[in-house]
Amino acid sequence: PIESCTKSITSLLIGLAMDQGMLKDLDEPLYTYFPDYPHLKTGRYRELNLRNILSMTSGFDPMNDALFASDDRVDFALRRPLLETPGEVFRYDGGNSEILGAVLQAATGEFADSYSRGTLFLPLSIEQYDWDRFRQKGFPSMAGALHLTPRGMLKIGVMVLQTGSYQGKQVVSEQWIRESTSPRTDTHTEERYAYHWWNLELGQHPQNYQAIWANGWGGQFIYIIPQLETVIVTTGHNYELDSWAITRGISKYIHGLDTGQKP
């Protein structure tokens, strides 16, 4: 299980749907995709759009425990109260990712696991994956249920490092990779957040390196460091102790990869 790295895969799938013209505009109101939820056209809900959902600034009350205990995550996620005006405050929220899965289904006519097979996994020659855990009414969980091998995670990272290209083929548009991985908002930590990707700084002063980061609970991480043309993948079962130790260790020694020369 790659845990919340699944969220970053979700961002890639939204980008693919944008590339294919199935999604048109990140500023389109959320209610466009959910006509059966009239409350989304009222009050502050009217201001919700895909950009808010992707950047974790939707304003929803996360209610994560109740969300994942519910019989219908998408329905629960859409009916939650708003704590803030959309676009103003960062709140890390798995419900946002579940909503994106429903948007993908509405836009493409496919559930995310089916859509990803031909658009993402096949072009990257990723054959070993599983997205069945926590499935509800056909919807796979977008917040953290995808299983990949470390090699599959690495292929994702290399494709992002190469701004959407893999083995000479453009899988995701360069425009989307740059837009979706660029920092958008401050968070409750030192890191900043993009569209379901984190941005963090590795290294020790004065040798600092900006990294794009897929962050999964327990030590499932993909670090993408463009300056060093490097991708680092870690997996683990560190669910109770300090998973930040991995990041601190990488920061301590990453200067050893810096030759000062382009390959």
Side-chain angles (χ1 to χ4, degrees):
I2 65 171
E3 306 295 354
S4 285
C5 288
T6 307
K7 294 181 174 71
S8 300
I9 306 300
T10 301
S11 177
L12 293 175
L13 296 179
I14 291 291
L16 284 162
M18 292 284 290
D19 292 344
Q20 294 177 340
M22 296 177 178
L23 290 172
K24 302 294 186 182
D25 185 353
L26 294 184
D27 294 316
E28 194 166 11
L30 189 63
Y31 63 73
T32 303
Y33 301 96
F34 301 102
D36 294 336
Y37 292 82
H39 73 282
L40 294 178
K41 289 187 176 182
T42 66
R44 293 189 295 184
Y45 288 103
R46 287 185 58 86
E47 301 177 39
L48 277 165
N49 57 40
L50 295 187
R51 198 180 304 277
N52 305 146
I53 303 295
L54 282 161
S55 61
M56 297 287 186
T57 59
S58 65
F60 279 119
D61 184 346
M63 304 173 70
N64 279 311
D65 290 342
L67 172 74
F68 289 101
S70 68
D71 294 329
D72 189 333
R73 287 187 305 272
V74 173
D75 180 78
F76 187 93
L78 289 169
R79 295 186 186 279
R80 292 173 299 167
L82 290 178
L83 300 179
E84 290 94 16
T85 299
E88 292 188 354
V89 177
F90 174 88
R91 288 182 186 274
Y92 191 67
D93 175 7
N96 286 333
S97 308
E98 302 301 329
I99 290 170
L100 290 176
V103 169
L104 275 170
Q105 197 280 331
T108 69
E110 295 184 76
F111 293 111
D113 56 330
S114 173
Y115 181 66
S116 64
R117 186 177 300 117
T119 58
L120 184 64
F121 295 146
L122 184 61
L124 296 180
S125 299
I126 295 176
E127 299 176 355
Q128 292 180 281
Y129 63 93
D130 180 82
W131 215 336
D132 284 333
R133 189 177 60 153
F134 303 139
R135 184 181 297 276
Q136 286 181 344
K137 299 182 178 180
F139 287 98
S141 174
M142 310 302 289
L146 178 60
H147 288 57
L148 285 175
T149 66
R151 188 176 295 273
M153 296 168 70
L154 183 65
K155 289 178 177 181
I156 295 288
V158 168
M159 186 268 292
V160 172
L161 176 69
Q162 297 175 163
T163 55
S165 177
Y166 186 77
Q167 294 186 343
K169 179 179 179 180
Q170 197 71 34
V171 179
V172 183
S173 68
E174 179 177 344
Q175 177 182 349
W176 180 257
I177 295 297
R178 293 192 185 282
E179 180 177 357
S180 64
T181 61
S182 297
R184 298 286 165 180
T185 184
D186 294 328
T187 70
H188 53 279
T189 68
E190 294 180 1
E191 289 67 48
R192 301 192 71 197
Y193 204 70
Y195 292 160
H196 273 44
W197 292 92
W198 294 85
N199 298 101
L200 80 163
E201 188 174 88
L202 298 172
Q204 296 178 322
H205 184 77
Q207 293 175 299
N208 297 323
Y209 309 93
Q210 300 302 313
I212 301 161
W213 189 32
N215 173 359
W217 185 38
Q220 331 319 316
F221 301 144
I222 307 173
Y223 303 87
I224 302 158
I225 310 110
Q227 187 177 345
L228 298 177
E229 296 193 344
T230 295
V231 177
I232 299 172
V233 166
T234 69
T235 61
H237 202 271
N238 192 7
Y239 292 102
E240 296 180 0
L241 302 176
D242 181 12
S243 64
W244 284 98
I246 298 174
T247 300
R248 287 196 296 269
I250 290 174
S251 281
K252 184 175 182 179
Y253 296 107
I254 196 170
H255 67 275
L257 296 176
D258 192 349
T259 65
Q261 299 176 347
K262 291 185 178 181

Short mmCIF file of all heavy atoms in Angstrom, two decimals, residues 72-114:
data_model
loop_
_atom_site.label_atom_id
_atom_site.label_comp_id
_atom_site.label_asym_id
_atom_site.label_seq_id
_atom_site.Cartn_x
_atom_site.Cartn_y
_atom_site.Cartn_z
N ASP A 72 -20.78 5.44 2.31
CA ASP A 72 -20.67 6.10 1.00
C ASP A 72 -19.78 7.32 1.16
O ASP A 72 -20.23 8.40 1.53
CB ASP A 72 -22.06 6.50 0.50
CG ASP A 72 -22.06 6.99 -0.94
OD1 ASP A 72 -21.01 7.51 -1.39
OD2 ASP A 72 -23.10 6.85 -1.62
N ARG A 73 -18.48 7.13 0.89
CA ARG A 73 -17.51 8.21 1.13
C ARG A 73 -17.80 9.44 0.29
O ARG A 73 -17.67 10.57 0.77
CB ARG A 73 -16.09 7.71 0.85
CG ARG A 73 -15.51 6.76 1.86
CD ARG A 73 -14.05 6.47 1.55
NE ARG A 73 -13.85 5.99 0.20
CZ ARG A 73 -13.90 4.72 -0.17
NH1 ARG A 73 -14.14 3.79 0.73
NH2 ARG A 73 -13.72 4.36 -1.42
N VAL A 74 -18.15 9.24 -0.97
CA VAL A 74 -18.37 10.39 -1.85
C VAL A 74 -19.55 11.21 -1.34
O VAL A 74 -19.47 12.45 -1.24
CB VAL A 74 -18.61 9.93 -3.30
CG1 VAL A 74 -19.02 11.12 -4.18
CG2 VAL A 74 -17.35 9.28 -3.87
N ASP A 75 -20.65 10.55 -1.02
CA ASP A 75 -21.82 11.25 -0.51
C ASP A 75 -21.48 11.98 0.79
O ASP A 75 -21.84 13.15 0.98
CB ASP A 75 -22.95 10.24 -0.28
CG ASP A 75 -24.21 10.90 0.25
OD1 ASP A 75 -24.93 11.52 -0.55
OD2 ASP A 75 -24.46 10.80 1.47
N PHE A 76 -20.79 11.30 1.69
CA PHE A 76 -20.42 11.91 2.96
C PHE A 76 -19.53 13.12 2.73
O PHE A 76 -19.72 14.18 3.35
CB PHE A 76 -19.70 10.88 3.84
CG PHE A 76 -19.42 11.36 5.24
CD1 PHE A 76 -20.30 11.09 6.27
CD2 PHE A 76 -18.27 12.09 5.53
CE1 PHE A 76 -20.05 11.55 7.57
CE2 PHE A 76 -18.01 12.55 6.81
CZ PHE A 76 -18.90 12.28 7.83
N ALA A 77 -18.54 12.97 1.83
CA ALA A 77 -17.59 14.07 1.58
C ALA A 77 -18.29 15.30 1.05
O ALA A 77 -17.96 16.43 1.43
CB ALA A 77 -16.52 13.60 0.60
N LEU A 78 -19.27 15.11 0.18
CA LEU A 78 -19.95 16.25 -0.44
C LEU A 78 -20.91 16.95 0.51
O LEU A 78 -21.24 18.12 0.33
CB LEU A 78 -20.71 15.79 -1.68
CG LEU A 78 -19.85 15.40 -2.88
CD1 LEU A 78 -20.71 14.71 -3.94
CD2 LEU A 78 -19.17 16.64 -3.47
N ARG A 79 -21.39 16.24 1.52
CA ARG A 79 -22.39 16.81 2.44
C ARG A 79 -21.78 17.42 3.70
O ARG A 79 -22.51 17.94 4.55
CB ARG A 79 -23.41 15.73 2.82
CG ARG A 79 -24.24 15.23 1.65
CD ARG A 79 -25.33 14.29 2.10
NE ARG A 79 -26.04 13.70 0.97
CZ ARG A 79 -27.01 14.30 0.29
NH1 ARG A 79 -27.38 15.54 0.63
NH2 ARG A 79 -27.62 13.71 -0.72
N ARG A 80 -20.47 17.39 3.83
CA ARG A 80 -19.85 17.93 5.04
C ARG A 80 -20.01 19.45 5.12
O ARG A 80 -20.09 20.14 4.10
CB ARG A 80 -18.35 17.58 5.05
CG ARG A 80 -18.06 16.11 5.22
CD ARG A 80 -16.59 15.83 5.04
NE ARG A 80 -16.13 16.22 3.71
CZ ARG A 80 -14.85 16.33 3.36
NH1 ARG A 80 -13.90 16.09 4.25
NH2 ARG A 80 -14.53 16.67 2.13
N PRO A 81 -20.02 19.98 6.33
CA PRO A 81 -20.10 21.45 6.47
C PRO A 81 -18.81 22.12 6.03
O PRO A 81 -17.73 21.52 6.07
CB PRO A 81 -20.33 21.63 7.97
CG PRO A 81 -19.77 20.40 8.61
CD PRO A 81 -20.01 19.28 7.63
N LEU A 82 -18.94 23.35 5.61
CA LEU A 82 -17.78 24.18 5.29
C LEU A 82 -17.37 24.97 6.52
O LEU A 82 -18.19 25.66 7.14
CB LEU A 82 -18.09 25.14 4.14
CG LEU A 82 -18.27 24.54 2.75
CD1 LEU A 82 -18.63 25.63 1.74
CD2 LEU A 82 -17.02 23.81 2.30
N LEU A 83 -16.09 24.89 6.85
CA LEU A 83 -15.56 25.64 7.99
C LEU A 83 -15.05 27.01 7.56
O LEU A 83 -15.00 27.94 8.38
CB LEU A 83 -14.43 24.86 8.66
CG LEU A 83 -14.79 23.48 9.23
CD1 LEU A 83 -13.56 22.82 9.83
CD2 LEU A 83 -15.90 23.61 10.27
N GLU A 84 -14.61 27.12 6.32
CA GLU A 84 -14.08 28.38 5.80
C GLU A 84 -14.57 28.59 4.38
O GLU A 84 -15.05 27.67 3.72
CB GLU A 84 -12.54 28.39 5.78
CG GLU A 84 -11.88 28.45 7.13
CD GLU A 84 -11.53 27.08 7.66
OE1 GLU A 84 -11.52 26.12 6.85
OE2 GLU A 84 -11.29 26.96 8.88
N THR A 85 -14.40 29.81 3.91
CA THR A 85 -14.67 30.11 2.51
C THR A 85 -13.67 29.37 1.64
O THR A 85 -12.47 29.39 1.92
CB THR A 85 -14.55 31.62 2.27
OG1 THR A 85 -15.51 32.30 3.09
CG2 THR A 85 -14.78 31.96 0.81
N PRO A 86 -14.11 28.69 0.59
CA PRO A 86 -13.19 27.95 -0.29
C PRO A 86 -12.06 28.84 -0.80
O PRO A 86 -12.27 30.00 -1.15
CB PRO A 86 -14.10 27.48 -1.43
CG PRO A 86 -15.45 27.34 -0.79
CD PRO A 86 -15.53 28.47 0.20
N GLY A 87 -10.86 28.25 -0.82
CA GLY A 87 -9.69 28.94 -1.34
C GLY A 87 -8.88 29.69 -0.31
O GLY A 87 -7.82 30.24 -0.65
N GLU A 88 -9.31 29.68 0.96
CA GLU A 88 -8.64 30.53 1.94
C GLU A 88 -7.71 29.78 2.89
O GLU A 88 -6.65 30.30 3.26
CB GLU A 88 -9.67 31.30 2.76
CG GLU A 88 -10.42 32.35 1.95
CD GLU A 88 -11.31 33.22 2.81
OE1 GLU A 88 -11.43 32.93 4.03
OE2 GLU A 88 -11.87 34.20 2.28
N VAL A 89 -8.06 28.58 3.31
CA VAL A 89 -7.32 27.89 4.38
C VAL A 89 -6.98 26.48 3.95
O VAL A 89 -7.83 25.74 3.44
CB VAL A 89 -8.15 27.85 5.69
CG1 VAL A 89 -7.40 27.08 6.77
CG2 VAL A 89 -8.46 29.27 6.17
N PHE A 90 -5.73 26.07 4.16
CA PHE A 90 -5.29 24.70 3.89
C PHE A 90 -5.74 23.77 5.01
O PHE A 90 -5.50 24.05 6.19
CB PHE A 90 -3.77 24.65 3.76
CG PHE A 90 -3.21 23.24 3.63
CD1 PHE A 90 -3.08 22.65 2.38
CD2 PHE A 90 -2.82 22.52 4.75
CE1 PHE A 90 -2.58 21.36 2.25
CE2 PHE A 90 -2.31 21.24 4.64
CZ PHE A 90 -2.19 20.66 3.39
N ARG A 91 -6.40 22.70 4.65
CA ARG A 91 -6.73 21.62 5.58
C ARG A 91 -6.51 20.30 4.85
O ARG A 91 -7.18 20.04 3.85
CB ARG A 91 -8.17 21.70 6.08
CG ARG A 91 -8.46 22.81 7.04
CD ARG A 91 -9.91 22.78 7.51
NE ARG A 91 -10.23 23.93 8.34
CZ ARG A 91 -10.03 24.00 9.65
NH1 ARG A 91 -9.50 22.96 10.28
NH2 ARG A 91 -10.36 25.08 10.33
N TYR A 92 -5.59 19.50 5.34
CA TYR A 92 -5.32 18.21 4.70
C TYR A 92 -6.54 17.33 4.88
O TYR A 92 -6.97 17.07 6.01
CB TYR A 92 -4.08 17.58 5.33
CG TYR A 92 -3.56 16.38 4.58
CD1 TYR A 92 -3.02 16.53 3.31
CD2 TYR A 92 -3.60 15.12 5.14
CE1 TYR A 92 -2.53 15.43 2.62
CE2 TYR A 92 -3.12 14.01 4.46
CZ TYR A 92 -2.58 14.18 3.20
OH TYR A 92 -2.11 13.09 2.51
N ASP A 93 -7.10 16.84 3.77
CA ASP A 93 -8.45 16.29 3.81
C ASP A 93 -8.61 15.19 2.77
O ASP A 93 -8.67 15.46 1.57
CB ASP A 93 -9.43 17.43 3.56
CG ASP A 93 -10.87 17.00 3.44
OD1 ASP A 93 -11.17 15.82 3.70
OD2 ASP A 93 -11.71 17.86 3.09
N GLY A 94 -8.68 13.92 3.24
CA GLY A 94 -8.87 12.81 2.32
C GLY A 94 -10.18 12.87 1.57
O GLY A 94 -10.31 12.32 0.47
N GLY A 95 -11.18 13.56 2.13
CA GLY A 95 -12.46 13.69 1.45
C GLY A 95 -12.34 14.44 0.14
O GLY A 95 -13.07 14.17 -0.83
N ASN A 96 -11.42 15.39 0.07
CA ASN A 96 -11.19 16.10 -1.19
C ASN A 96 -10.77 15.11 -2.28
O ASN A 96 -11.21 15.21 -3.44
CB ASN A 96 -10.10 17.16 -1.02
CG ASN A 96 -10.58 18.36 -0.24
OD1 ASN A 96 -11.75 18.69 -0.23
ND2 ASN A 96 -9.65 19.03 0.43
N SER A 97 -9.90 14.17 -1.93
CA SER A 97 -9.43 13.18 -2.91
C SER A 97 -10.57 12.28 -3.36
O SER A 97 -10.65 11.92 -4.54
CB SER A 97 -8.29 12.35 -2.30
OG SER A 97 -7.29 13.19 -1.75
N GLU A 98 -11.46 11.90 -2.42
CA GLU A 98 -12.60 11.07 -2.79
C GLU A 98 -13.52 11.82 -3.77
O GLU A 98 -14.04 11.24 -4.72
CB GLU A 98 -13.38 10.66 -1.55
CG GLU A 98 -12.57 9.90 -0.50
CD GLU A 98 -11.97 8.61 -1.03
OE1 GLU A 98 -12.58 7.97 -1.93
OE2 GLU A 98 -10.89 8.23 -0.55
N ILE A 99 -13.69 13.11 -3.55
CA ILE A 99 -14.50 13.93 -4.46
C ILE A 99 -13.87 13.94 -5.85
O ILE A 99 -14.57 13.85 -6.87
CB ILE A 99 -14.65 15.36 -3.90
CG1 ILE A 99 -15.55 15.34 -2.66
CG2 ILE A 99 -15.23 16.30 -4.95
CD1 ILE A 99 -15.58 16.65 -1.89
N LEU A 100 -12.56 14.05 -5.92
CA LEU A 100 -11.89 14.04 -7.23
C LEU A 100 -12.13 12.73 -7.97
O LEU A 100 -12.26 12.72 -9.20
CB LEU A 100 -10.38 14.29 -7.06
CG LEU A 100 -9.97 15.69 -6.63
CD1 LEU A 100 -8.47 15.75 -6.40
CD2 LEU A 100 -10.40 16.73 -7.67
N GLY A 101 -12.20 11.62 -7.24
CA GLY A 101 -12.50 10.35 -7.88
C GLY A 101 -13.88 10.36 -8.52
O GLY A 101 -14.08 9.82 -9.63
N ALA A 102 -14.84 11.00 -7.85
CA ALA A 102 -16.19 11.11 -8.41
C ALA A 102 -16.22 12.07 -9.60
O ALA A 102 -16.96 11.86 -10.56
CB ALA A 102 -17.16 11.57 -7.33
N VAL A 103 -15.43 13.13 -9.54
CA VAL A 103 -15.32 14.04 -10.68
C VAL A 103 -14.75 13.30 -11.90
O VAL A 103 -15.25 13.46 -13.03
CB VAL A 103 -14.44 15.25 -10.32
CG1 VAL A 103 -14.09 16.07 -11.56
CG2 VAL A 103 -15.14 16.14 -9.30
N LEU A 104 -13.73 12.49 -11.67
CA LEU A 104 -13.15 11.72 -12.78
C LEU A 104 -14.19 10.80 -13.40
O LEU A 104 -14.27 10.69 -14.63
CB LEU A 104 -11.97 10.88 -12.27
CG LEU A 104 -10.61 11.55 -12.19
CD1 LEU A 104 -9.63 10.65 -11.45
CD2 LEU A 104 -10.08 11.85 -13.60
N GLN A 105 -14.97 10.14 -12.56
CA GLN A 105 -15.98 9.23 -13.09
C GLN A 105 -17.03 10.00 -13.89
O GLN A 105 -17.46 9.54 -14.96
CB GLN A 105 -16.61 8.46 -11.93
CG GLN A 105 -17.37 7.19 -12.35
CD GLN A 105 -18.75 7.49 -12.88
OE1 GLN A 105 -19.36 8.48 -12.48
NE2 GLN A 105 -19.26 6.64 -13.76
N ALA A 106 -17.43 11.16 -13.38
CA ALA A 106 -18.43 11.96 -14.09
C ALA A 106 -17.90 12.47 -15.43
O ALA A 106 -18.63 12.53 -16.42
CB ALA A 106 -18.86 13.14 -13.21
N ALA A 107 -16.61 12.82 -15.46
CA ALA A 107 -16.04 13.41 -16.66
C ALA A 107 -15.65 12.37 -17.71
O ALA A 107 -15.78 12.62 -18.92
CB ALA A 107 -14.81 14.25 -16.29
N THR A 108 -15.16 11.22 -17.26
CA THR A 108 -14.61 10.23 -18.19
C THR A 108 -15.54 9.05 -18.42
O THR A 108 -15.35 8.29 -19.38
CB THR A 108 -13.27 9.68 -17.67
OG1 THR A 108 -13.48 8.88 -16.50
CG2 THR A 108 -12.30 10.82 -17.34
N GLY A 109 -16.51 8.86 -17.53
CA GLY A 109 -17.38 7.69 -17.62
C GLY A 109 -16.75 6.43 -17.08
O GLY A 109 -17.33 5.35 -17.19
N GLU A 110 -15.56 6.55 -16.47
CA GLU A 110 -14.86 5.39 -15.91
C GLU A 110 -14.49 5.67 -14.46
O GLU A 110 -14.22 6.81 -14.08
CB GLU A 110 -13.58 5.09 -16.69
CG GLU A 110 -13.77 4.68 -18.12
CD GLU A 110 -12.43 4.31 -18.77
OE1 GLU A 110 -11.91 3.21 -18.48
OE2 GLU A 110 -11.89 5.14 -19.52
N PHE A 111 -14.43 4.59 -13.68
CA PHE A 111 -13.86 4.71 -12.35
C PHE A 111 -12.35 4.88 -12.48
O PHE A 111 -11.74 4.50 -13.48
CB PHE A 111 -14.20 3.49 -11.50
CG PHE A 111 -15.66 3.37 -11.19
CD1 PHE A 111 -16.42 2.36 -11.73
CD2 PHE A 111 -16.27 4.30 -10.35
CE1 PHE A 111 -17.78 2.25 -11.45
CE2 PHE A 111 -17.63 4.21 -10.06
CZ PHE A 111 -18.38 3.19 -10.61
N ALA A 112 -11.73 5.45 -11.47
CA ALA A 112 -10.33 5.86 -11.56
C ALA A 112 -9.40 4.69 -11.86
O ALA A 112 -8.43 4.84 -12.62
CB ALA A 112 -9.90 6.54 -10.26
N ASP A 113 -9.66 3.51 -11.29
CA ASP A 113 -8.77 2.39 -11.54
C ASP A 113 -8.82 1.97 -13.00
O ASP A 113 -7.79 1.66 -13.61
CB ASP A 113 -9.09 1.22 -10.62
CG ASP A 113 -10.54 0.77 -10.72
OD1 ASP A 113 -11.42 1.61 -11.01
OD2 ASP A 113 -10.80 -0.43 -10.52
N SER A 114 -10.01 1.98 -13.59
CA SER A 114 -10.14 1.63 -15.01
C SER A 114 -9.50 2.70 -15.89
O SER A 114 -8.78 2.39 -16.84
CB SER A 114 -11.62 1.46 -15.36
OG SER A 114 -11.80 1.28 -16.75
#
